[in-house]
Amino acid sequence: MTVLVALAANLLIAVAKAVGGVLAGSPALLSEAAHSVADSLNEIFLLAALRRSRRPADRRHPFGYGKERFFWSLLAAVGIFVMGGCFSFFQGFEALQGGAKESHEGYVAGLVVLGVALVVEGVSLLRALHQVHRQSGTAGQGLRDPALRTVVAEDSTAVLGVALAIVGMVLHMVTGNVVWEASASLAIGALLVYVAFRLGRDAREQLIGQAADPELSDRMYALLEEQPEIDSVEELLTMQLGLDSILLAARVDLVPGLDSEEVEDVTVRIKFSIMRTIPEADQIFLDITDAPTRAARRKKSGGPAATGERGGA
């Protein structure tokens, strides 16, 4: 719902800014229009991410489609950079080179448009922040949701960008010097490029296989350590498969004396125990070894009592 609200707001604001920018010949207002168009396209990307990431796992994608969110968030970052940042730089440099009209006609209407945009973007930002607070308090997700994180970044940037455009237009009107408005356009471009870089970097980390949140990883490790049948946890690896899906792979040493059937029962019980406590850990793989038995076997054979040998379960 937050993405839909942001999309509707951005579409209306983009049209208003574009019309006002053309009538006023304002580079700052046109930069903000490009910013809103980029945001609108990005909201469409995010809607696609929300829909496609919910598809169930199949034979081609046995771990599901959760990473769709990260892919479409990466495209949204590219859209912010190309459509928003680059166009804003173009408008700023063109104004500095004398391409902008030295006219204040339509500037009052343009400032009114920016004032309305500031209010609308502010409301959208408050709604997004409210959802972040709600998710942080319930599911513990907060800004881990790439779609919500992108909306918050876009709305925050939009509020700041509109403020920069207003300052640039007002100073241009007061001083008659277009350099103020050109500087506002360049500042908006720099802001968008920075936001695009941050969002793109986060999406990249998730796409190449980022580990789960350290707090969750510590909880998983503690749960394994608490199991009476586990002698030690040799290694624990995690990867975020989606917003609500985590892969957990652990190599654990069991206490001695368990036969094969008991090992199988223990493995199943441990997996379900972890999944009940941490529902996001829905893909669990345990590599089972028996440390004392393995050490005794190596000692008998004269080999080093290393911990690299693995048993499977």
Side-chain angles (χ1 to χ4, degrees):
M1 186 63 184
T2 298
V3 177
L4 289 174
V5 172
L7 174 60
N10 282 322
L11 285 174
L12 292 174
I13 292 171
V15 173
K17 288 178 181 177
V19 172
V22 171
L23 294 177
S26 167
L29 193 50
L30 288 174
S31 296
E32 272 301 298
H35 180 185
S36 294
V37 170
D39 285 351
S40 299
L41 290 177
N42 292 339
E43 306 302 344
I44 295 175
F45 286 155
L46 297 180
L47 287 174
L50 294 174
R51 181 177 63 86
R52 295 176 65 86
S53 65
R54 295 191 183 106
R55 290 183 295 171
D58 53 34
R59 181 173 297 179
R60 285 180 58 84
H61 299 87
F63 293 109
Y65 290 82
K67 288 196 174 186
E68 286 269 11
R69 288 186 180 234
F70 311 136
F71 169 73
W72 290 99
S73 295
L74 179 61
L75 291 187
V78 173
I80 293 174
F81 175 82
V82 175
M83 298 191 61
C86 293
F87 185 80
S88 296
F89 279 128
F90 169 77
Q91 285 293 321
F93 286 125
E94 186 180 48
L96 288 176
Q97 293 172 2
K101 298 185 298 182
E102 288 289 342
S103 171
H104 296 158
E105 295 179 5
Y107 265 48
V108 174
L111 289 173
V112 171
V113 169
L114 288 176
V116 173
L118 187 62
V119 173
V120 174
E121 297 285 11
V123 171
S124 180
L125 174 60
L126 289 176
R127 178 181 179 84
L129 291 176
H130 174 71
Q131 184 167 346
V132 170
H133 178 73
R134 184 176 60 189
Q135 289 190 358
S136 297
T138 56
Q141 295 170 353
L143 287 180
R144 289 196 298 112
D145 184 346
L148 184 55
R149 184 169 61 242
T150 302
V151 171
V152 171
E154 287 179 349
D155 288 344
S156 301
T157 307
V159 170
L160 186 54
V162 169
L164 289 171
I166 291 174
V167 172
M169 290 180 68
V170 169
L171 290 176
H172 183 191
M173 292 178 66
V174 172
T175 64
N177 192 343
V178 75
V179 70
W180 292 107
E181 204 165 345
S183 299
S185 293
L186 294 176
I188 292 170
L191 178 64
L192 293 175
V193 168
Y194 172 74
V195 170
F197 169 76
R198 290 293 301 270
L199 291 175
R201 185 185 64 179
D202 291 343
R204 170 186 171 274
E205 291 295 322
Q206 298 285 6
L207 284 172
I208 64 177
Q210 189 175 43
D213 183 79
E215 182 180 349
L216 276 179
S217 296
D218 291 342
R219 288 177 60 194
M220 296 175 196
Y221 189 91
L223 283 172
L224 290 173
E225 286 276 314
E226 291 171 0
Q227 305 302 317
E229 296 86 358
I230 293 181
D231 184 65
S232 65
V233 179
E234 297 297 316
E235 188 175 22
L236 186 144
L237 303 173
T238 63
M239 184 169 65
Q240 195 79 38
L241 298 177
L243 182 61
D244 301 311
S245 179
I246 295 174
L247 183 148
L248 165 63
R251 182 161 60 90
V252 299
D253 289 337
L254 297 182
V255 297
L258 299 176
D259 59 32
S260 58
E261 290 187 1
E262 288 176 319
V263 168
E264 183 177 353
D265 292 339
V266 165
T267 302
V268 173
R269 184 187 61 77
I270 292 174
K271 288 182 179 180
F272 278 104
S273 175
I274 295 175
M275 292 175 67
R276 281 195 304 268
T277 307
I278 306 176
E280 300 99 314
D282 55 351
Q283 302 289 343
I284 301 176
F285 300 89
L286 298 180
D287 185 10
I288 303 296
T289 59
D290 187 336
T293 301
R294 182 187 61 202
R297 185 170 62 249
R298 289 198 164 211
K299 184 177 180 180
K300 183 177 180 180
S301 63
T307 58
E309 182 180 331
R310 294 188 178 186

